[in-house]
């Protein structure tokens, strides 16, 4: 069986397992748009002549949080909005690959005698599933921006400094150019984590792989380190905003390298996985 047929079958079967999650994602993005509209009303009154923009809305959802400096008595400002969006993205591709391996997929694997094509099809399915989640989210964001009368520009308004509780910045808000940091990087980080989860699912339960992703995201929020992947998915950690922030180009290379490493590690591991023995222990 050719790879494209493998993937086409996975796409059709897999979509039946994630449509409810896409529905939850749609509701989540819609609620976040409503929350942004409500929160921004107060600040717009303080900035006459300023209007909302698509960039403002995107920063509210994908901005993450400013650098946290642990000091005595300091309370960690949990990045609820960003974490919810990223965690649901990682969860979207979690269950289908392993469920298929111990179900109908095992029959296909036995018939075609190609573990490589089977695993690569699952890896591609994970990437496409996460991509569709973000595509759906951006459709909701565009409609939300239209509904609240916002401008379809990537310009960040000055009031966002107060809304996001940002104080020390590397450059004035009018100079921020965060288009790729708000669109490309969150998606790329989530796709990379989905490949990590797929690889880890060969050794542990899928939900534990998702927990690893959550730990990576939370650690990234707590520590503003370029070694922690989640920092590249937070626009507020970019060097334009944070003096010692991350560089988005490095983030792209980091994600691509880790993504390929996870796919390669998973592929090699799957080639030597005792499927029948693993199924008996699961």
């Amino acid at each position: 069986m050719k790879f494209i047929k493998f993937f086409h079958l996975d796409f059709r079967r897999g979509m039946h397992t994630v449509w409810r999650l896409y529905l939850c994602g749609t509701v989540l993005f819609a609620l976040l748009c409503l929350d942004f509209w409500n929160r921004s009303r107060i600040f717009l009154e303080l900035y006459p002549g300023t209007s909302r923009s698509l960039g403002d809305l995107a920063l509210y959802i994908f901005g993450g949080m400013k650098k946290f400096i642990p000091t005595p008595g300091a309370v960690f400002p949990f990045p609820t909005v960003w974490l919810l969006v990223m965690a649901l993205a990682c969860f979207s591709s979690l269950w289908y690959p392993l469920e298929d391996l111990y179900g109908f997929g095992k029959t296909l694997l036995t018939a075609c005698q190609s573990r490589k094509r089977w695993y690569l099809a699952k890896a591609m399915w994970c990437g496409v599933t996460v991509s569709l989640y973000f595509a759906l989210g951006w459709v909701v964001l565009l409609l939300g921006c239209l509904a609240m009368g916002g401008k379809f520009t990537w310009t960040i308004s000055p009031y966002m400094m107060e809304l996001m509780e940002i104080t020390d910045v590397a450059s004035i808000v009018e100079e921020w150019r965060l288009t790729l940091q708000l669109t490309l990087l969150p998606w790329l980080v989530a796709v990379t984590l989905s490949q990590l989860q797929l690889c880890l699912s060969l050794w542990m339960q899928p939900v534990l792989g998702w927990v690893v992703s959550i730990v990576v995201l939370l650690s990234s929020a707590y520590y503003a380190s370029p070694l922690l992947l989640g920092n590249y998915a937070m626009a507020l950690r970019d060097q334009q905003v944070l003096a010692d922030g991350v560089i988005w180009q490095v983030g792209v290379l980091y994600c691509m390298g880790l993504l390929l490493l996870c796919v390669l590690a998973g592929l090699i591991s799957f080639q030597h996985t005792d499927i029948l023995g693993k199924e008996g222990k699961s």
Side-chain angles (χ1 to χ4, degrees):
M1 183 181 291
K2 294 182 179 180
F3 170 78
I4 191 64
K5 290 184 178 180
F6 254 127
F7 172 72
H8 183 257
L9 186 60
D10 278 332
F11 184 78
R12 287 191 303 163
R13 289 171 52 81
M15 285 301 109
H16 289 291
T17 69
V18 296
W19 69 268
R20 292 183 182 86
L21 186 139
Y22 284 158
L23 181 60
C24 292
T26 301
V27 173
L28 173 62
F29 278 104
L31 289 176
L32 291 178
C33 288
L34 183 61
D35 185 49
F36 169 74
W37 172 79
N38 184 52
R39 289 173 178 265
S40 60
R41 284 190 305 168
I42 302 173
F43 296 99
L44 285 175
E45 295 175 358
L46 303 176
Y47 291 84
T50 303
S51 60
R52 302 177 183 89
S53 70
L54 181 61
D56 296 341
L57 178 57
L59 185 67
Y60 179 71
I61 294 176
F62 296 112
M65 59 175 283
K66 62 182 181 180
K67 181 179 179 180
F68 176 65
I69 302 177
T71 56
V75 179
F76 177 64
F78 199 78
T80 306
V81 172
W82 176 80
L83 187 62
L84 277 174
V85 171
M86 296 298 293
L88 193 58
C90 294
F91 193 80
S92 65
S93 63
L94 192 62
W95 294 105
Y96 171 71
L98 203 64
E99 288 180 352
D100 185 67
L101 175 60
Y102 299 137
F104 181 69
K106 187 167 62 176
T107 304
L108 289 178
L109 183 58
T110 304
C112 73
Q113 296 295 312
S114 176
R115 292 191 173 208
K116 178 179 179 181
R117 286 198 291 267
W118 189 95
Y119 186 85
L120 290 178
K122 293 297 182 294
M124 186 173 178
W125 181 86
C126 288
V128 170
T129 300
V130 173
S131 300
L132 289 177
Y133 168 85
F134 276 93
L136 183 61
W138 277 107
V139 169
V140 176
L141 261 61
L142 289 170
L143 292 175
C145 184
L146 179 65
M148 65 182 70
K151 297 180 180 179
F152 288 94
T153 67
W154 294 107
T155 304
I156 307 298
S157 304
Y159 74 87
M160 290 299 295
M161 291 275 292
E162 295 185 46
L163 194 152
M164 302 295 289
E165 299 181 356
I166 311 169
T167 52
D168 298 326
V169 293
S171 60
I172 60 175
V173 65
E174 288 81 4
E175 295 179 356
W176 293 356
R177 299 293 181 268
L178 302 174
T179 305
L180 293 177
Q181 292 87 331
L182 293 170
T183 55
L184 176 64
L185 268 302
W187 164 77
L188 190 54
V189 168
V191 170
T192 302
L193 290 176
S194 75
Q195 299 304 317
L196 175 62
Q197 291 174 174
L198 178 61
C199 180
L200 292 177
S201 69
L202 300 175
W203 296 294
M204 60 180 69
Q205 291 295 320
V207 69
L208 295 179
W210 183 64
V211 170
V212 170
S213 293
I214 299 301
V215 170
V216 170
L217 294 172
L218 280 175
S219 300
S220 302
Y222 194 86
Y223 298 106
S225 169
L227 296 178
L228 292 172
L229 192 66
N231 280 284
Y232 298 99
M234 291 186 279
L236 293 182
R237 297 287 174 87
D238 187 78
Q239 63 175 352
Q240 296 180 59
V241 182
L242 188 64
D244 55 346
V246 297
I247 303 172
W248 73 266
Q249 294 93 331
V250 174
V252 171
L253 294 177
Y254 188 13
C255 287
M256 294 301 296
L258 185 57
L259 188 153
L260 292 175
L261 182 62
C262 289
V263 172
L264 182 61
L267 188 58
I268 294 174
S269 179
F270 187 63
Q271 297 280 8
H272 302 89
T273 298
D274 181 4
I275 299 174
L276 294 178
K278 187 177 177 64
E279 182 183 17
K281 296 177 183 179
S282 63

